[in-house]
Amino acid sequence: MLKRTCKVSAYTDRVDRRTDKFGNGAIECNYKPAYTKLVVTLYKGRKKMATAKCANHKKACFVATKEVKDDRPVQKWRTKVTGAWGSGKHKSVWSKPLHG
């Protein structure tokens, strides 16, 4: 019997080296739960910069925050993704930091 599970992933992306940053998140399940929910939050250092949400009744959910303009010196950007599915299961993951 295959274990029913969902995988939550987080990724911080940029359009180019200097300007726009995105937070990307995904939840993928190997079965069809009652729902999948995703909250993606982009942080600059400890400051929340942008949030995006996604919810549906399918096996997967993908969402990215709007880009955040940035022209300051190098900052540490991270994306926190919280996924929830089925009967009250949830998981939070952080992306690798993006320095830029």
Side-chain angles (χ1 to χ4, degrees), residues 13-22 42 66-70 77 98:
D13 204 0
R14 58 181 145 202
V15 176
D16 64 48
R17 201 172 66 81
R18 284 189 62 81
T19 54
D20 304 343
K21 310 290 188 293
F22 291 88
L42 178 66
K66 284 196 168 91
E67 68 273 16
V68 176
K69 294 260 189 271
D70 183 56
W77 297 79
L98 172 76

Side-chain angles (χ1 to χ4, degrees), residues 19-82:
T19 54
D20 304 343
K21 310 290 188 293
F22 291 88
N24 294 289
I27 182 168
E28 287 186 83
C29 302
N30 66 0
Y31 74 107
K32 193 175 171 194
Y35 66 88
T36 50
K37 276 188 198 164
L38 202 56
V39 180
V40 178
T41 313
L42 178 66
Y43 287 86
K44 178 164 79 173
R46 293 188 173 181
K47 190 176 173 199
K48 260 186 210 183
M49 300 302 287
T51 306
K53 291 187 172 97
C54 170
N56 63 34
H57 295 285
K58 299 185 177 83
K59 286 183 177 188
C61 225
F62 304 94
V63 71
T65 64
K66 284 196 168 91
E67 68 273 16
V68 176
K69 294 260 189 271
D70 183 56
D71 52 7
R72 301 247 331 267
V74 171
Q75 298 279 339
K76 185 164 137 186
W77 297 79
R78 291 177 83 197
T79 303
K80 183 183 183 187
V81 176
T82 303

Side-chain angles (χ1 to χ4, degrees), residues 85-97:
W85 66 92
S87 55
K89 294 189 173 75
H90 56 88
K91 186 177 181 184
S92 291
V93 293
W94 286 91
S95 71
K96 286 193 183 112

